[in-house]
Amino acid sequence: MRQDIYINDQLNFDNVVQAVKPAAGCLANGGLVAFPTETVYGLGANALDPQAVLKIFEAKGRPADNPLIIHVSSPGQIEPLVGEVPAAAHDLIKAFWPGPLTLILPKSKLVPDEVTAGGPTVAIRMPNHPVALALISVSGKPIAAPSANLSGRPSPTTAEHVRQDLDNNLDYLIDAGSTSIGLESTVLDLTTEIPTVLRLGAISAEQIKSIIGQAETLKHTDLAQPVSSPGLKYRHYAPKAKVLIVPLITDEMVSKYQAQGLKVATIALKTESPNSSADFSSVFATPEGMAQNLYATLRQADELNVDIIVAEAVSLPGVSQAVMDRLKRASED
Ligand code: TXA
Ligand code: MG
């Protein structure tokens, strides 16, 4: 049976530590706990306990060859997990941790193959959320945690999304409201000759370059090449509706689909275009707002049995690139 712990944002850190204690004890004893981070909700298990880690794959229906990110509550906690911490990692940690940047480094023997899908590298990040940090530090363990959704569903940005997907297939769910960023962390591979961004997120390649001088971004089309981040070969975001990305949404476009008997949703930044004729329309004031609500919008479109989601392309720098990346993936068959 799942137990829910509610944390409101009025609590100070000591109160949060008290509130998460039962869940932290459960993690240390091999249990599964869903918890909020600043990006999305994660489904955590003790990363050093192979049996506990296997339960994550079972609960999510996740393919065993897709490795997990280990979450730590302090930078020093990575030392025993990795072979060596290169200077670039030190600099990036100083600049961006705690925060939405996952680093891929060579793994140490301590990290079980179940976490890395048998691979020689390990993904690690320190989340910037008081509940996640309290939970990890009280558990006393590094915590392996993928997004707490069923495989193939949008990542959960509220506790309710976790309930919808995982129901009772976990021991504790810590509910602290909506996550602030709403998209998964940037994943940066530091084991390649030139550091490579494998997944876009709130920390941009430009920000990374400004710290370590170089970084390249794995192009969507490069995925036809041997897969360096196994997760990339799966279609992550799979709304029932077809997703179409257009430069500008027009009423004519929306009416054309509706005339074919299709239920239409639109996603856009606030623009001059009216978009009022869609069956369901999400308009956001900022790219940050769009990122924060994107997955909730995709889930809602599914619930409303929308046939086609028309999204307006955004070409601003920053997090909107990550938003477009997720929409592009959702648009692929
Ligand atoms: O923001 C996030 O990163 C969230 C929260 C919960 O921290 N976690 C998350 O985990 O998105 P997940 O499992 O849904 O996505 C992890 C991604 C996958 O694409 C996986 O293939 C990749 O990171 N990954 C993990 N370990 C890797 C490794 N050793 N080498 C390459 N890619 C790796
Ligand atoms: Mg995921």
Side-chain angles (χ1 to χ4, degrees):
M1 245 338 247
R2 187 191 80 221
Q3 292 189 57
D4 291 3
I5 295 173
Y6 292 86
I7 305 220
N8 73 52
D9 49 15
Q10 309 303 320
L11 294 184
N12 66 31
F13 193 70
D14 290 342
N15 296 146
V16 173
V17 165
Q18 283 306 319
V20 303
K21 264 190 181 155
C26 173
L27 275 178
N29 287 312
L32 282 190
V33 176
F35 61 95
T37 77
E38 79 281 34
T39 58
V40 300
Y41 275 74
L43 180 63
N46 175 1
L48 305 181
D49 178 344
Q51 291 312 314
V53 170
L54 287 175
K55 287 196 234 166
I56 293 178
F57 287 88
E58 204 175 313
K60 281 183 56 96
R62 182 182 178 101
D65 64 352
N66 192 2
L68 306 177
I69 297 172
I70 296 186
H71 296 64
V72 296
S73 56
S74 71
Q77 213 180 346
I78 78 170
E79 308 270 345
L81 305 174
V82 302
E84 155 200 27
V85 185
H90 278 296
D91 295 344
L92 290 166
I93 287 169
K94 206 162 154 214
F96 300 118
W97 280 14
L101 177 65
T102 295
L103 300 177
I104 309 237
L105 293 163
K107 85 172 194 80
S108 75
K109 282 203 191 101
L110 195 64
V111 179
D113 283 340
E114 285 75 4
V115 172
T116 65
T121 61
V122 62
I124 310 186
R125 85 177 189 101
M126 177 177 171
N128 186 17
H129 193 295
V131 173
L133 293 172
L135 180 72
I136 299 163
S137 84
V138 177
S139 79
K141 311 285 181 196
I143 302 299
S147 48
N149 52 287
L150 279 179
S151 227
R153 295 266 291 155
S155 292
T157 53
T158 67
E160 192 47 37
H161 296 161
V162 180
R163 290 186 194 100
Q164 285 167 6
D165 278 17
L166 299 178
D167 193 25
N168 267 319
N169 291 327
L170 68 165
D171 298 299
Y172 280 92
L173 166 58
I174 307 180
D175 182 344
S178 299
T179 60
S180 59
I181 293 175
L183 295 180
E184 307 85 346
S185 61
T186 304
V187 176
L188 180 70
D189 191 346
L190 285 176
T191 68
T192 47
E193 200 165 296
I194 298 176
T196 311
V197 176
L198 302 180
R199 180 173 73 184
L200 297 175
I203 291 177
S204 66
E206 289 68 34
Q207 283 174 285
I208 292 167
K209 266 187 224 159
S210 77
I211 303 296
I212 57 172
Q214 53 174 3
E216 56 185 24
T217 302
L218 194 70
K219 294 253 166 37
H220 211 51
T221 46
D222 293 346
L223 297 181
Q225 307 300 317
V227 183
S228 48
S229 196
L232 297 174
K233 76 182 179 198
Y234 300 106
R235 184 176 175 230
H236 276 192
Y237 318 98
K240 288 179 211 147
K242 185 177 163 55
V243 177
L244 195 69
I245 302 170
V246 301
L248 184 73
I249 300 172
T250 62
D251 270 343
E252 289 71 40
M253 190 183 283
V254 171
S255 319
K256 186 186 84 187
Y257 291 120
Q258 286 172 328
Q260 295 167 21
L262 301 175
K263 198 167 181 184
V264 184
T266 56
I267 301 180
L269 279 181
K270 208 178 175 88
T271 57
E272 301 305 311
S273 51
N275 305 335
S276 52
S277 57
D279 299 278
F280 165 52
S281 93
S282 285
V283 182
F284 302 102
T286 60
E288 288 73 23
M290 201 170 183
Q292 198 178 14
N293 293 291
L294 179 69
Y295 291 148
T297 301
L298 293 180
R299 281 176 182 260
Q300 217 173 333
D302 270 357
E303 275 159 34
L304 296 171
N305 287 312
V306 163
D307 299 295
I308 180 158
I309 299 171
V310 188
E312 200 164 272
V314 185
S315 57
L316 300 169
V319 77
S320 49
Q321 290 180 27
V323 173
M324 293 317 297
D325 167 76
R326 303 308 192 268
L327 281 168
K328 261 182 227 144
R329 290 171 198 273
S331 73
E332 284 162 6
D333 292 320

